[in-house]
Amino acid sequence: MEIRFENGRAETAAMDTDTLRRNFLVEGLMTPGQLKLVYTHYDRMVVGGAMPAGDALTLGTHTELKANFFLERRELGIINVGGAGTVTAGSESYELGKLECLYVGRGTETVTFRSTDPTQPAVFYLLSAPAHTTHPTRKFTRDEAAPVTVGDAATSNHRTIYKYIHADGIQSCQLVMGLTILEPGSVWNTMPAHLHSRRMEAYFYFNLPEDQRVFHFMGEPQQTRHLVVANHDAIISPPWSIHSGCGTSNYGFIWGMAGENRDYTDVDPVPLVSMR
């Protein structure tokens, strides 16, 4: 498990491209036959990826967690963006198709991941946050996520939002998680941008063609920076940073947050004309 420490606003404003990428971009998260984890000190979120390509992959604990098992004091959100697969949490198994979500509550001692067909592997994106109590393990399909279509083709942001783990959906301690799918011809996500200093956020990009890229914008509204990201790359976004992107084609992205509350709409808008 890779450990990443937090960076201040002034420090980030002075970073060059390589330093920005080293601190905020997670590359190679999905590798066939591997489970990868990155621990960020922003709200102590763990960002991970599991891509079973044969034998099952097991979510083990790590020395840095000082825990007997990974979810001893944590909760976990899982969204599959690949082929069909199975997640076994404790003694129960859950089949997850593409764009289906599973929440696993604190205290679950074992979690394993398997692809139904290793030639079309599942691609499990993982987010984990500290938890102070236990909520039931629960699965949501994409239809149960109450999809809402917003935006407009005229502003290149016609998109559908699926909310899985939030105050009015799957219950959790502090984890909030869902995804957004952009329609063909639309490339902008989350613009105009917003802040929520009460929660950090992580983005995971998927459904992006191999030869296309997303320009992800971050930083303070008057000190914006960008990162060029590929399919299955993730972004760690500090609470003080905007988080928005524009792609060279349409794509999907998973958003996830942890922090002060689970209110999806609790944001502080940033007027587009004020950004620099």
Side-chain angles (χ1 to χ4, degrees):
M1 184 170 68
E2 179 188 351
I3 307 296
R4 297 197 187 185
F5 291 91
E6 70 280 1
N7 297 277
R9 292 173 290 178
E11 177 186 6
T12 302
M15 289 181 179
D16 63 13
T17 297
D18 289 341
T19 308
L20 281 171
R21 293 176 70 86
R22 190 164 57 249
N23 283 279
F24 299 106
L25 177 65
V26 181
E27 298 179 280
L29 194 57
M30 300 299 177
T31 302
Q34 294 187 30
L35 190 158
K36 295 189 174 184
L37 300 172
V38 175
Y39 181 112
T40 171
H41 277 262
Y42 293 113
D43 286 310
R44 303 190 180 276
M45 180 82 87
V46 175
V47 179
M51 193 174 179
D55 295 335
L57 299 175
T58 299
L59 181 63
T61 192
H62 294 267
T63 302
E64 295 87 353
L65 297 179
K66 304 298 182 183
N68 293 313
F69 52 94
F70 190 90
L71 295 180
E72 184 176 22
R73 298 184 300 274
R74 287 184 156 269
E75 57 187 355
L76 173 67
I78 305 162
I79 294 179
N80 181 17
V81 297
T86 301
V87 178
T88 300
S91 60
E92 299 292 328
S93 294
Y94 303 85
E95 295 183 3
L96 289 188
K98 188 170 185 178
L99 305 188
E100 294 189 331
C101 174
L102 182 70
Y103 170 84
V104 184
R106 186 190 73 164
T108 305
E109 293 193 23
T110 59
V111 181
T112 60
F113 306 89
R114 186 182 296 275
S115 294
T116 302
D117 180 358
T119 65
Q120 301 180 54
V123 179
F124 296 112
Y125 177 64
L126 319 176
L127 282 181
S128 175
H132 60 271
T133 191
T134 300
H135 290 277
T137 296
R138 187 177 179 186
K139 173 185 169 180
F140 252 35
T141 66
R142 60 188 298 180
D143 291 334
E144 290 175 300
V148 177
T149 300
V150 298
D152 195 295
T155 48
S156 303
N157 66 351
H158 191 211
R159 62 200 190 276
T160 301
I161 300 172
Y162 299 81
K163 293 180 284 186
Y164 295 95
I165 305 171
H166 64 113
D168 298 318
I170 299 175
Q171 296 302 294
S172 68
C173 288
Q174 63 168 321
L175 197 61
V176 177
M177 198 172 181
L179 61 87
T180 300
I181 303 290
L182 278 75
E183 297 294 327
S186 288
V187 293
W188 276 105
N189 70 65
T190 325
M191 183 60 73
H194 62 255
L195 300 170
H196 33 71
S197 62
R198 298 156 295 285
R199 298 175 296 188
M200 67 80 67
E201 187 156 1
Y203 269 29
F204 172 76
Y205 289 99
F206 68 97
N207 281 2
L208 183 66
E210 184 177 349
D211 61 344
Q212 303 298 310
R213 293 293 184 268
V214 171
F215 287 71
H216 180 95
F217 296 96
M218 62 164 295
E220 293 184 279
Q222 284 74 48
Q223 286 285 347
T224 58
R225 300 292 183 268
H226 75 270
L227 295 162
V228 180
V229 303
N231 192 47
H232 291 173
D233 282 350
I235 297 286
I236 297 169
S237 182
W240 45 262
S241 174
I242 65 165
H243 31 283
S244 183
C246 185
T248 56
S249 76
N250 63 313
Y251 53 91
F253 69 101
I254 296 174
W255 39 266
M257 295 167 272
E260 189 71 21
N261 62 45
R262 296 181 296 116
D263 182 0
Y264 172 77
T265 61
D266 178 25
V267 300
D268 302 318
V270 177
L272 183 57
V273 294
S274 72
M275 292 177 57
R276 296 176 57 187

